[in-house]
Amino acid sequence: MTNSHAGTADTDVALAAVRAGADVVRAMYGRRLGRIDKGAGDFATEADVAAEKAILDVIRAARPGDAILGEESGRQGAAEAERQWLVDPLCGTHNYASGTMLVAVNVALRDGPAAVADPFSGEVFFTDGRTAHVRRQDGGEDTPLTPTPDTRLVDVNLDPPFPSAPAIRTVGLAAHPDFGAHFRPRAGATSLALAWVAAGRRAAYVTDGGNLSGSVHFAAGIALCRAAGCVVTGIDGTPLGPSGRGLVAAADEETHAALMAMLRGESHAASATSPAQEPPS
């Protein structure tokens, strides 16, 4: 898929769109919101729909010829369009609806710039497709994202489906005898955790699932991690793509190798991740 627009301009569109969505999410927080049932226990709220509309308004105004794949509104635009925007207006809807401020707003141009916003911290993590930075609400210079395994915190997404089971079970990762010696688990609740891996706040993120490379939920986070220099593969260690499953995004090769060994049920004697000091609680 070619990118005929200047990278910087597309980055500006991603930033403006994700901020527009984050503004809506923040403004509607705490209200009594109607829900749209999606089945299997999943749902959207009026905030999801309103945030997506705000994001789409920005993209349509700036890039009227581009296609869009939205979490709530589906595919829009010409089927033959070479460029497609992937939009998840509120990742963490269950958190949001229960009064928990752990959510993300994701916007990505397929194979191009992407942005992930934390509506409540005011941080926006973004990439132009080559480098990755975080921009804070209080202004100042953008800070480069620098992944590091130092925290030893690993987010494990426990939401179904689990297509890789029984060979690989993400839920069993924390029970592996080597895991506690090298890492500390956190239960992943939103794709914001991928931005945290890129920023060095998490050592890794692990989830099962289908092909996530073109997912509205994960595309922006994957783009951030790749641009920041993280190791990104499927849950079985193969490259992401149509035949891939799940996702492992790690700060470095050593962390990735350790997690892959544990996911396969093997032992891994890691040196760089040995518990020299306690991680933050």
Side-chain angles (χ1 to χ4, degrees), residues 208-235:
D208 201 352
N211 171 27
L212 303 181
S213 60
S215 165
V216 295
H217 305 291
F218 293 98
I222 290 171
L224 281 173
C225 286
R226 282 176 165 163
C230 300
V231 181
V232 181
T233 70
I235 198 169

Side-chain angles (χ1 to χ4, degrees), residues 20-102:
D23 287 345
V24 172
V25 169
R26 187 170 53 254
M28 296 183 73
Y29 179 74
R31 298 184 189 178
R32 188 177 183 87
L33 300 172
R35 298 187 181 189
I36 301 97
D37 183 28
K38 294 184 174 183
D42 194 15
F43 62 88
T45 70
E46 292 172 313
D48 296 70
V49 175
E52 182 159 306
K53 180 181 183 304
I55 292 169
L56 267 55
D57 285 348
V58 172
I59 296 174
R60 287 178 182 138
R63 298 287 185 265
D66 290 357
I68 302 173
L69 175 59
E71 165 70 4
E72 308 307 332
S73 55
R75 297 181 183 275
Q76 301 181 42
E80 67 275 12
E82 293 184 345
R83 293 157 44 94
Q84 184 184 54
W85 293 85
L86 306 171
V87 175
D88 183 0
L90 180 48
C91 183
T93 299
H94 286 254
N95 285 343
Y96 187 80
S98 64
T100 304
M101 295 183 180
L102 183 55

Side-chain angles (χ1 to χ4, degrees), residues 153-189:
L153 300 177
V154 176
D155 268 292
V156 181
N157 184 5
L158 302 179
D159 288 337
F162 306 113
S164 301
I168 299 175
R169 294 182 184 273
T170 55
V171 70
L173 184 61
H176 191 285
D178 287 342
F179 189 89
H182 306 302
F183 303 110
R184 293 293 182 270
R186 291 295 182 271

Side-chain angles (χ1 to χ4, degrees), residues 71 107 134 144 155 161 170 172 186 201 207 212 232 243 259 270 277 280:
E71 165 70 4
V107 174
V134 59
D155 268 292
T170 55
R186 291 295 182 271
R201 302 176 192 176
T207 186
L212 303 181
V232 181
S243 61
L259 291 171
Q277 66 182 98

